[in-house]
Amino acid sequence: MLRCAECDYEYDLALAEEVSVLAHHHVAEYVELLRADPVLLRRRATPRLWSPLEYACHMRDVLFVQRERLLAARRSDSPVTEPMGRDERVEHDGYIQQRPADVARQLHDAALLFTHGLDQLGPEDWERTLTVPYPEVAVRSLRWFAMHTLHELRHHLLDIRRQLEHR
């Protein structure tokens, strides 16, 4: 079973159908963290690390992109998804200038849309596949896809907390 060495997240595919509920819990934590001082939310601990606000914007966009990928996997057999341009979005979408309250609301809405798509999956749908570009190009089931999205939510919460706790 795949495990993240940094955050200890385990890709237990048997739990994929619980991702919808778990994702909402994680997003509620993001919303709470986004109530911190905006100056702290915009500050990068190092130039190579995103700020807490940038991580939150990234997760908002991940949820929107993952929803579209999920819908593509329901529309066609084994679609090939494109990279989301995660690093380019930070600058192109001006993550650092965004208002934390707006990002919190958008993150909540993105989670609602993504999890609604998961909630529409029937038993046979969880085995549908798509080719994902990250962490490496691979054909993955929607079970893996759901668990990976939950991992992203959990992992970046850790990234945000680390930065806010060290201030």
Side-chain angles (χ1 to χ4, degrees), residues 12-20 118 126 142-144 146-147:
D12 184 349
L13 300 186
L15 300 177
E17 294 176 41
E18 298 176 29
V19 166
S20 191
L118 290 178
W126 287 100
L142 287 181
R143 283 188 181 284
W144 181 92
M147 296 305 295

Side-chain angles (χ1 to χ4, degrees), residues 23-34:
H24 286 292
H25 290 300
H26 288 330
V27 168
E29 293 178 63
Y30 277 89
V31 169
E32 185 62 33
L33 290 170
L34 285 167

Side-chain angles (χ1 to χ4, degrees), residues 19-151:
V19 166
S20 191
V21 171
L22 296 170
H24 286 292
H25 290 300
H26 288 330
V27 168
E29 293 178 63
Y30 277 89
V31 169
E32 185 62 33
L33 290 170
L34 285 167
R35 291 188 176 123
D37 180 348
V39 171
L40 295 177
L41 291 172
R42 288 185 171 92
R43 191 172 300 147
R44 287 182 170 196
T46 70
R48 296 176 52 91
L49 272 180
W50 290 342
S51 70
L53 180 59
E54 289 167 320
Y55 277 117
C57 289
H58 169 68
M59 275 317 308
R60 173 204 56 209
D61 289 355
V62 164
L63 290 170
F64 281 130
V65 168
Q66 295 296 73
R67 175 181 183 255
E68 291 307 310
R69 291 172 174 169
L70 171 64
L71 293 173
R74 303 246 2 244
R75 278 192 314 272
S76 61
D77 291 332
S78 207
V80 176
T81 62
E82 293 295 318
M84 69 178 280
R86 58 180 256 137
D87 293 316
E88 296 84 2
R89 284 174 184 254
V90 175
E91 181 184 338
H92 294 170
D93 197 28
Y95 282 1
I96 203 72
Q97 290 101 20
Q98 295 185 29
R99 293 182 48 227
D102 292 343
V103 174
R105 186 187 71 255
Q106 295 159 358
L107 188 53
H108 173 77
D109 291 345
L112 286 173
L113 290 166
F114 174 70
T115 59
H116 178 75
L118 290 178
D119 293 342
Q120 303 312 302
L121 297 176
E124 68 286 348
D125 294 323
W126 287 100
E127 302 314 316
R128 293 185 68 81
T129 61
L130 67 166
T131 301
V132 296
Y134 186 87
E136 68 275 332
V137 176
V139 175
R140 302 290 189 173
S141 71
L142 287 181
R143 283 188 181 284
W144 181 92
F145 176 78
M147 296 305 295
H148 179 69
T149 305
L150 187 65
H151 173 233

